[in-house]
Amino acid sequence: FDGRVVAKLPFIPISLIQGLSHRNLSGEDYTDCSFIFLYILCTMSIRQNIQKLLGFSPSRAASKQSGNIFAPMGAQR
């Protein structure tokens, strides 16, 4: 997928992200999206939800109940 447009963004990304979203693409249309940017977005947004759905990661309530060595003594209950 190097140098190929894999998606068209409905917005122009901020300048900090444009380098990643337009990586190895020719042209000046910053709504074009490279594969690596789409992969990062999907990994960040979808992966956690699928893990929770399939039961591979603890829920927030369960992680709050687990002991934390850095919490004050009164907050561990």
Side-chain angles (χ1 to χ4, degrees):
F1 295 107
D2 191 30
R4 292 187 181 205
V5 177
V6 295
K8 197 80 157 159
L9 299 174
F11 57 91
I12 296 176
I14 60 174
S15 61
L16 293 173
I17 300 176
Q18 280 181 358
L20 187 61
S21 68
H22 202 70
R23 179 173 229 99
N24 294 333
L25 297 178
S26 59
E28 296 296 321
D29 186 7
Y30 288 108
T31 59
D32 291 342
C33 178
S34 66
F35 174 75
I36 190 68
F37 185 69
L38 188 64
Y39 177 77
I40 290 171
L41 282 179
C42 290
T43 301
M44 288 173 50
S45 62
I46 296 173
R47 186 175 182 220
Q48 285 183 338
N49 293 329
I50 290 178
Q51 283 179 343
K52 284 183 184 178
L53 181 69
L54 297 176
F56 292 125
S57 67
S59 65
R60 285 188 215 156
S63 64
K64 283 183 182 179
Q65 294 295 326
S66 65
N68 185 355
I69 63 171
F70 299 111
M73 291 300 286
Q76 286 184 352
R77 288 184 175 198

